[in-house]
Structures are given as C-alpha cells and as structure tokens.
Amino acid sequence: MLLTRPANGYPLRFEAPLQPKLARLRRHDLRHSACSTWLRAGIDVTVCQKWSGHKRLSVFLDVYQGVMPGREAAGVRSLERLLLDGGGGVVE
C-alpha cells in the first residue's frame, strides 16, 4: 500500500490495492482510524476535519466527539487558569 500527499492538500490517498488479508478493510475504516489517532494526539478538530475530507465540521464532530474523552475537563482547567491567573495559564 502506497500513501501519498496529493496536490489537493489531503494527507493520504491510497494508490495500490490493499493486501489480501486486509481486503475487508475499507478506505473509510482507515480514515476513521486516522481521524481518531489525530484527535487523541491533540490535533485541532478543524485540522483533522480538513485532512479527512469531511465537508462540514458539524458532521465530523457528530462522528468523532466520543474519541476526545477528557476534552471537557481540559477546557474547564484552561478556563480556570485564565480566570484565576489573569490569563497567564491560557493553553494555545
């Protein structure tokens, strides 16, 4: 399997057929695995949405919101730092 970066900016395109033992694995399955991995790595959701080729962020979030456990708690901690430290603890 050859992974390339085409001119349209999306990170992966599959150029060769999958190996026989992976024949049941679809492109969609690979995209879902990639998106899940990117999100768990902390890559911004809008970047993941663009890389994956999803046209609408709302659809992307509907599908992948469960992949980002702890994001709400992290947001609350960031907000607390902002409010308690006067902005010194803002996470970019």
Side-chain angles (χ1 to χ4, degrees):
M1 176 171 24
L2 174 66
L3 306 177
T4 62
R5 180 178 205 103
N8 67 3
Y10 297 122
L12 303 175
R13 184 172 70 217
F14 303 96
E15 298 289 345
L18 297 173
Q19 297 174 356
K21 65 182 179 179
L22 297 177
R24 290 177 288 173
L25 194 60
R26 302 167 298 155
R27 286 183 181 188
H28 178 81
D29 299 324
L30 295 172
R31 179 173 76 166
H32 185 72
S33 295
C35 290
S36 299
T37 301
W38 297 334
L39 290 168
R40 286 188 181 120
I43 296 173
D44 185 82
V45 293
T46 57
V47 173
C48 295
Q49 177 242 337
K50 179 182 176 187
W51 286 355
S52 67
H54 283 90
K55 292 181 181 178
R56 294 179 30 198
L57 182 59
S58 61
V59 172
F60 183 84
L61 290 173
D62 285 344
V63 173
Y64 295 102
Q65 66 183 346
V67 176
M68 302 178 283
R71 300 288 290 185
E72 185 175 352
V76 169
R77 286 192 304 273
S78 182
L79 183 58
E80 286 174 341
R81 283 193 300 270
L82 173 67
L83 296 174
L84 297 174
D85 298 341
V90 175
V91 177
E92 302 258 342

